[in-house]
Amino acid sequence: MGSKKALLIGWDAADWKVIHPLLDSGRMPHLHSLIKNGVMGNLVSLRPELSPMLWTSIATGKRPYKHGILGFTEPGPDGKGMRPVTNLSRKTKTIWNILNQNDYRSLVVGWWPSHPAEPINGVMVSNHYQRAHRPYGSPWPMQAGTIHPARLIKNLAELRVHPQEVDAGLMRLFVPDLARIDQEKDHRIESLAKIIADTTTINRAATALMHHEEWDFAAVYFDGIDHFCHGFMDYHPPHLSWVKEGDYQLYKEVVASGYIFHDILLGLLLAEADKDTTVILVSDHGFHSDHLRPARIPGEPAGPAAQHRPYGVVVVSGPAMNRDELLYGSSLLDICPTILSLFELPVAGDMDGKVLINAFAEFPNVQYIPSWDDVPGEDGSHPSDSFVDPLESSEAINRLVELGYIEKPDRDQKKAAEHAKREIHYNLARSYMDAGLHGEALPLLVDLLEQWPDEFRFGLELAHCYQAIGRAAVSRPILMDIFTRKKRKVEEAEEELEQLRKEVELSVDKKEKREELQPRIRSLLQQASQNPYGISYLLGVACHAEGDNANALMYFDRAEKGNVVSASLYVQKGSVYEELKQRRTAEKQYRKALSIDSENTDAMLGLCRLKLAGRQNEAAAHQALDIIALRYHSPLAHFYLGCALHRMGRLNDAIQALERAVRQNPNIPEVYHRLAYIYKNRLQLPERAACYKRMATEANQRIRQLKKGTLPIASELNRPVSDLFESRLCHIQGEKQKAMAPDAIDKTIVIVSGLPRSGTSLLMQMLAAGGFPVLTDRVRSADEDNPKGYFEHVGIKGLAGDNSWLLDHGGKAVKVIAQLLPFLPMSDTVLYRIVFVERNLDEILLSQEKMLSKRKNNRKRPPSALLKNGFYRQLEKIKALNAAHAVPVLYLQHQDCVKNPSAVAAQINVFLGGVLDENAMVSVVDSSLYRNRKESMPACAGKL
């Protein structure tokens, strides 16, 4: 299943907040067409939001601490100096390496980082290809290692566009009043020309290669939108108070024009892809374009990342995809597994992402292997002795300095290497924290702060880390020290600024003196503008974590008075008031946070808790689903959803939500307690409940050890969160069956189940026609209600008493109504697989009523609403029991069986080992027998 050709397009920093108005006004027609014929949604980013790390996660499906790309730079191989990050630091295979091992041919253009180009089966054009590092008219040689294979160097070199070749007419589309600008003084036009030239170059290379070279997979990366935004987002409407009116009028069209420009180039790319190609367009993060745009960029390495938004974009369009639908809960880690699924290749268990199965029109049959890194074979990666020319590294470093991604390297080569290593360790610690591995991050941050005590960011991150592991008391003195020193630095800067002002006033030539002192004044103004009261907010967080709510509110109020107003501040205030049982005040604070940032998931979690506390279960469930739609990896949202669904009687859905919560974070004891309660009191499975009780106890022990600082770094608390829960779960449930092997058929009983009149007879007919033996005694003959027969066995009615006889019928399918499933006989020698059909409950009740009315039964029947509620609760309990016993279940919708029988037949065939005749199965479906239908009603197990 799935397309054998895929095109992955990367638009760095693309954001729906800018795109939607352009789509609505018809100015991005190619993207609009892609969305209309596919699915779209947010793509959750990772911390830290640094592009080389993120694009490597997209290409590998793994977090940065696994793949090894940890920033913009890295030390030189001899430990001297620094160089731009290269793919030589990557520790794992990318999607193109995996495809290479499976005889697929790839084109990779401009991916960051992809220098030096890897010797893959296909073509790789590295991220150093497009940069013009020589003046116009001078020789512009291609750097070594930029192109693989070498036969394409000459042709691809000729496709490059120099910034000074960019047509003035094209520039006026970005800056209509171009003629008014004095380019001797205003170098922003030069920057704009570089971005346009680089973007055009990448597109020309990609379209030429797609046209002339054979390919199965193509990946094309554009950094243009990110650079347009970093250079010109301050001028994007609405007008910001700190932006000069003249600058705003000149450059207000640049960002929107940049997006329109990318849409034009998208059209050229799509023209080179045939109709059978699956196209995936993604961005690694978004970019603040509204009132959340920061007025000041932090004066630290990678400071411009403060302008990034945690939600990028994803669009998936292709022959196997859904049409014009929204995609929820997607992460950039999901892209690589999804592409593997398109090529019908297994997903690796050591990947952190999942297949975006909801993008597919029909769910793919996802297979798994432990790791692609353990699979031998030619993968097109670099030999171990590969290296990069230091001179070329120097050119690329200068470009990173220009763009503001890094500081100018120290001339002392040893210090420069230490600086690069420092940033790698800092980014590694942040990647660990983003994955919930705070124990791994802690020693890195402690070491960084000891070596560089004046780098406040290390102290702040360390304080966050201590707070996350419940050691808030340790974080408070760190924060107080930072607050004191920051305040002192601001005061010193203000004093020196006053002295410089006096010096200017006393000078003979004030203008000359001001120009002489300008660099120092600019630096001091930057230092003086740093608001130390931001630390008050963090001190409040520390007090709150210690249970000192009075001081927490004092610090939060101090931060607010110091003009440190943010969504996070109001979230924290709301949390304090929530603990003080002042729920209305708490709700006001959470809503204040959302008025600042409508996508703040912490504020949404607070509102969800308040709704649960007020027993507003359905509203709480909807709130939790809103959070999950934005950020799928949110264990508390899954926990709260599970609590709400439990109260609503949706036990199976509740269990699934709770298990997702502990897969994402196995150290929340309350989740295990909730699961234990459900299994003991609702499902009467005390052994399973006891297992969850033990897991809750273990989680509490780990948390206590971590708070005391006695938990070893290599402990279970620091294992990838899914591994710990899965290792426990397999002891409870045993290994779940994945796909039925042909040799397992004889010892497997296939149960066809559902509520009476849900379509079980139809499924039995399909299985019989497909060649699967069915167990039926034909005691009840066909009639008007079931013209093709009931396919029953009379012994099934007595399963609650004598059921042992069923064990003798391995290798057959038998019909069992849903209410009798708990009475199936258990045995070590027989396996079960359940094909469970669901149908709209109103249709079921209508069909049952018509059937009973023909039998002249005058017994008074209960109201349909009461029956419907009873059936619903029975279904939920049965689903939960199925999940508890780890029996493989294929859930089908009756409507699909009738309207799309070929798809259903394919699903059943895969589920039962691929031995059935699908055409014969489809041939027995008679849509005219679908007589009791309610098209407008939701499915019987409808989602929220």
Side-chain angles (χ1 to χ4, degrees):
M1 178 180 174
S3 170
K4 294 288 185 178
K5 207 166 189 181
L7 168 61
L8 174 61
I9 302 169
W11 282 0
D12 200 312
D15 195 303
W16 290 122
K17 285 192 174 183
V18 180
I19 291 173
H20 281 311
L22 296 172
L23 288 173
D24 293 342
S25 60
R27 289 188 285 175
M28 295 187 76
H30 300 296
L31 181 59
H32 179 268
S33 175
L34 206 60
I35 293 168
K36 190 175 180 181
N37 292 294
V39 296
M40 61 170 284
N42 283 327
L43 197 68
V44 177
S45 190
L46 305 174
R47 281 186 75 242
E49 291 160 8
L50 305 181
S51 290
M53 300 169 68
L54 301 178
W55 288 105
T56 307
S57 287
I58 289 171
T60 62
K62 296 181 180 180
R63 290 180 176 274
Y65 75 86
K66 288 184 182 179
H67 64 57
I69 301 298
L70 293 163
F72 294 103
T73 61
E74 59 193 17
D78 56 358
K80 296 178 181 178
M82 70 163 66
R83 67 184 186 189
V85 66
T86 67
N87 55 21
L88 298 177
S89 294
R90 201 182 64 234
K91 301 184 296 187
T92 190
K93 294 173 184 174
T94 61
I95 181 64
W96 50 82
N97 298 128
I98 296 169
L99 292 173
N100 199 100
Q101 285 186 277
N102 290 274
D103 299 322
Y104 289 108
R105 186 174 170 83
S106 299
L107 308 177
V108 182
V109 182
W111 208 262
W112 195 7
S114 57
H115 191 82
E118 294 175 76
I120 60 171
N121 175 24
V123 180
M124 182 172 283
V125 179
S126 91
N127 57 297
H128 286 195
Y129 164 68
Q130 69 272 28
R131 310 296 185 209
H133 53 273
R134 294 286 186 274
Y136 184 62
S138 301
W140 183 7
M142 187 75 72
Q143 294 181 6
T146 300
I147 307 291
H148 166 81
R151 64 178 173 82
L152 294 172
I153 291 175
K154 182 176 182 297
N155 289 341
L156 287 171
E158 292 173 356
L159 294 177
R160 293 175 299 173
V161 177
H162 195 281
Q164 288 182 260
E165 292 179 306
V166 176
D167 183 72
L170 177 58
M171 294 288 289
R172 277 193 288 273
L173 296 177
F174 292 81
V175 185
D177 289 334
L178 181 66
R180 287 177 45 203
I181 297 171
D182 182 352
Q183 295 185 43
E184 292 294 323
K185 295 180 180 179
D186 189 343
H187 297 288
R188 285 171 288 190
I189 292 299
E190 180 184 341
S191 170
L192 183 60
K194 284 182 180 178
I195 301 169
I196 295 171
D198 288 352
T199 306
T200 305
T201 297
I202 288 291
N203 202 75
R204 291 178 73 175
T207 51
L209 290 171
M210 290 171 68
H211 187 82
H212 293 288
E213 297 286 326
E214 293 293 324
W215 58 279
D216 303 295
F217 170 72
V220 188
Y221 165 75
F222 297 89
D223 60 13
I225 289 175
D226 184 67
H227 292 174
F228 284 131
C229 291
H230 279 301
F232 300 92
M233 184 58 86
D234 280 354
Y235 315 116
H236 185 68
H239 187 186
L240 297 169
S241 59
W242 62 83
V243 173
K244 295 177 182 177
E245 175 66 23
D247 286 345
Y248 173 73
Q249 293 298 336
L250 278 173
Y251 297 113
K252 65 181 179 181
E253 299 295 333
V254 171
V255 170
S257 298
Y259 274 85
I260 295 167
F261 182 52
H262 275 71
D263 187 74
I264 293 168
L265 301 184
L266 173 64
L268 298 175
L269 282 174
L270 295 179
E272 299 297 338
D274 60 39
K275 61 182 178 59
D276 293 324
T277 301
T278 297
V279 181
I280 304 174
L281 186 148
V282 298
S283 66
D284 56 335
H285 54 74
F287 205 100
H288 288 300
S289 58
D290 49 21
H291 61 289
L292 294 175
R293 285 175 282 183
R296 187 180 64 84
I297 304 301
E300 61 185 48
Q307 297 173 291
H308 296 167
R309 211 167 71 90
Y311 303 110
V313 308
V314 59
V315 180
V316 188
S317 178
M321 298 298 133
N322 278 317
R323 295 284 185 272
D324 200 18
E325 291 192 13
L326 292 173
L327 194 59
Y328 294 106
S330 308
S331 159
L332 54 76
L333 295 165
D334 303 332
I335 302 304
C336 181
T338 301
I339 295 170
L340 287 172
S341 186
L342 281 168
F343 285 93
E344 299 178 346
L345 293 172
V347 176
D350 61 352
M351 289 179 175
D352 297 302
K354 63 186 184 302
V355 176
L356 294 173
I357 56 174
N358 291 320
F360 290 81
E362 298 175 19
F363 282 7
N365 180 27
V366 182
Q367 302 296 320
Y368 294 90
I369 60 171
S371 176
W372 276 105
D373 291 333
D374 298 333
V375 177
E378 179 53 51
D379 59 19
S381 58
H382 288 298
S384 57
D385 58 352
S386 298
F387 71 97
V388 176
D389 187 328
L391 184 61
E392 294 170 7
S393 294
S394 173
E395 294 284 357
I397 282 285
N398 291 337
R399 178 70 174 200
L400 290 173
V401 173
E402 269 183 57
L403 293 168
Y405 288 129
I406 65 169
E407 296 172 343
K408 190 171 184 178
D410 198 296
R411 289 185 178 181
D412 184 323
Q413 294 287 291
K414 187 176 179 182
K415 282 186 179 179
E418 285 177 359
H419 181 278
K421 188 176 178 182
R422 179 188 76 179
E423 295 308 309
I424 284 172
H425 285 178
Y426 179 52
N427 292 333
L428 176 60
R430 295 170 76 195
S431 177
Y432 277 136
M433 289 175 67
D434 190 50
L437 302 178
H438 296 89
E440 299 285 358
L442 198 60
L444 288 166
L445 292 168
V446 168
D447 184 60
L448 286 167
L449 188 60
E450 284 178 356
Q451 291 190 60
W452 290 278
D454 291 332
E455 284 283 345
F456 295 145
R457 58 197 170 112
F458 298 158
L460 293 175
E461 208 68 42
L462 178 59
H464 281 306
C465 194
Y466 276 125
Q467 289 168 6
I469 61 176
R471 297 174 67 184
V474 183
S475 73
R476 200 195 290 207
I478 296 171
L479 292 169
M480 188 60 77
D481 177 62
I482 294 172
F483 175 81
T484 303
R485 289 192 291 137
K486 242 189 174 182
K487 190 174 182 182
R488 186 165 61 244
K489 281 201 167 190
V490 169
E491 290 168 351
E492 289 171 354
E494 289 173 343
E495 288 173 7
E496 190 176 345
L497 276 170
E498 185 58 33
Q499 290 173 2
L500 293 178
R501 288 191 191 101
K502 288 178 181 177
E503 195 174 329
V504 170
E505 287 300 318
L506 293 172
S507 63
V508 177
D509 190 334
K510 293 183 176 60
K511 183 179 180 182
E512 183 181 340
K513 191 66 176 176
R514 190 178 292 110
E515 288 178 359
E516 176 193 332
L517 296 174
Q518 192 60 40
R520 180 59 182 160
I521 291 172
R522 191 179 296 115
S523 173
L524 289 169
L525 285 170
Q526 170 91 352
Q527 188 176 318
S529 67
Q530 294 184 12
N531 189 342
Y533 289 96
I535 310 299
S536 292
Y537 159 74
L538 294 172
L539 285 165
V541 173
C543 292
H544 180 211
E546 293 178 61
D548 184 357
N549 288 328
N551 273 320
L553 286 175
M554 178 198 73
Y555 280 120
F556 290 146
D557 288 341
R558 184 182 293 178
E560 195 168 1
K561 288 173 184 173
N563 204 30
V564 183
V565 179
S566 68
S568 299
L569 173 65
Y570 292 119
V571 168
Q572 290 295 332
K573 289 183 77 171
S575 184
V576 173
Y577 285 119
E578 191 180 342
E579 285 187 16
L580 296 172
K581 307 296 183 187
Q582 298 180 31
R583 289 176 184 156
R584 288 188 179 179
T585 307
E587 183 179 350
K588 286 180 182 177
Q589 299 300 320
Y590 291 137
R591 295 203 181 280
K592 271 188 182 180
L594 289 171
S595 71
I596 294 172
D597 179 4
S598 62
E599 294 179 336
N600 187 291
T601 52
D602 291 326
M604 295 163 75
L605 282 168
L607 290 176
C608 188
R609 280 193 303 272
L610 292 175
K611 287 169 183 175
L612 281 173
R615 313 298 289 188
Q616 298 173 290
N617 298 318
E618 189 167 339
H622 278 291
Q623 186 78 71
L625 287 170
D626 287 342
I627 299 164
I628 292 165
L630 278 171
R631 186 175 287 274
Y632 183 78
H633 193 282
S634 179
L636 285 178
H638 291 290
F639 174 40
Y640 298 156
L641 176 61
C643 293
L645 292 170
H646 172 202
R647 290 178 181 175
M648 295 163 66
R650 299 183 62 161
L651 298 184
N652 185 58
D653 291 334
I655 289 170
Q656 289 182 27
L658 294 168
E659 289 186 348
R660 276 193 297 272
V662 286
R663 280 189 174 93
Q664 293 183 4
N665 185 349
N667 300 300
I668 308 176
E670 295 84 354
V671 185
Y672 298 115
H673 285 303
R674 176 74 61 163
L675 283 163
Y677 179 90
I678 292 173
Y679 280 111
K680 181 181 179 181
N681 299 302
R682 301 297 296 275
L683 300 178
Q684 288 74 52
L685 293 170
E687 291 182 4
R688 178 68 60 80
C691 289
Y692 280 115
K693 281 285 187 186
R694 285 197 296 273
M695 292 166 77
T697 301
E698 291 168 3
N700 274 317
Q701 288 172 346
R702 290 192 298 273
I703 292 167
R704 281 195 296 271
Q705 285 181 285
L706 191 63
K707 286 182 178 179
K708 292 177 183 177
T710 59
L711 194 72
I713 294 301
S715 73
E716 288 181 329
L717 193 64
N718 297 309
R719 288 169 60 184
V721 290
S722 60
D723 292 355
L724 178 59
F725 181 67
E726 293 298 343
S727 66
R728 293 289 190 271
L729 198 62
C730 69
H731 290 300
I732 300 175
Q733 296 182 342
E735 288 295 328
K736 291 188 179 182
Q737 289 175 286
K738 293 180 180 176
M740 186 167 72
D743 59 359
I745 291 175
D746 290 340
K747 60 180 180 180
T748 300
I749 301 175
V750 176
I751 305 296
V752 174
S753 189
L755 291 174
R757 308 301 296 167
S758 61
T760 50
S761 299
L762 172 60
L763 284 176
M764 289 291 285
Q765 293 166 35
M766 293 177 73
L767 286 174
F772 202 95
V774 296
L775 179 62
T776 175
D777 55 18
R778 301 192 183 277
V779 170
R780 183 152 58 149
S781 58
D783 58 23
E784 183 183 348
D785 295 306
N786 259 357
K788 296 191 177 185
Y790 284 86
F791 288 82
E792 296 172 336
H793 190 285
V794 71
I796 295 299
K797 295 179 182 179
L799 278 184
D802 177 19
N803 62 10
S804 60
W805 62 271
L806 186 59
L807 297 174
D808 297 329
H809 294 282
K812 294 182 180 179
V814 60
K815 186 167 82 170
V816 180
I817 65 167
Q819 290 85 343
L820 292 177
L821 286 179
F823 302 107
L824 291 173
M826 293 294 118
S827 169
D828 293 335
T829 60
V830 172
L831 303 173
Y832 288 105
R833 281 188 170 248
I834 300 174
V835 180
F836 197 101
V837 62
E838 300 180 83
R839 186 177 181 182
N840 180 286
L841 281 174
D842 291 295
E843 292 185 356
I844 287 175
L845 290 170
L846 181 60
S847 181
Q848 290 177 357
E849 190 65 30
K850 287 184 177 180
M851 186 175 181
L852 290 171
S853 67
K854 297 170 186 173
R855 299 188 178 185
K856 300 180 180 179
N857 185 344
N858 295 321
R859 181 176 68 83
K860 186 176 180 181
R861 289 187 282 276
S864 59
L866 187 62
L867 279 171
K868 183 176 179 180
N869 188 52
F871 281 152
Y872 176 77
R873 292 189 176 276
Q874 287 174 10
L875 278 175
E876 286 299 306
K877 186 169 183 177
I878 289 161
K879 287 182 180 180
L881 284 168
N882 289 341
H885 289 295
V887 177
V889 183
L890 175 64
Y891 289 100
L892 301 170
Q893 293 295 326
H894 172 261
Q895 192 176 62
D896 293 338
C897 296
V898 178
K899 292 187 173 181
N900 194 5
S902 58
V904 170
Q907 284 181 271
I908 296 171
N909 196 20
V910 169
F911 185 64
L912 298 182
V915 297
L916 303 178
D917 182 339
E918 293 179 23
N919 291 330
M921 293 171 73
V922 172
S923 69
V924 299
V925 178
D926 183 354
S927 61
S928 68
L929 296 179
Y930 184 15
R931 293 168 290 195
N932 301 303
R933 67 179 73 194
K934 287 205 171 185
E935 300 284 359
S936 61
M937 297 299 293
C940 66
K943 296 183 175 68
L944 280 167

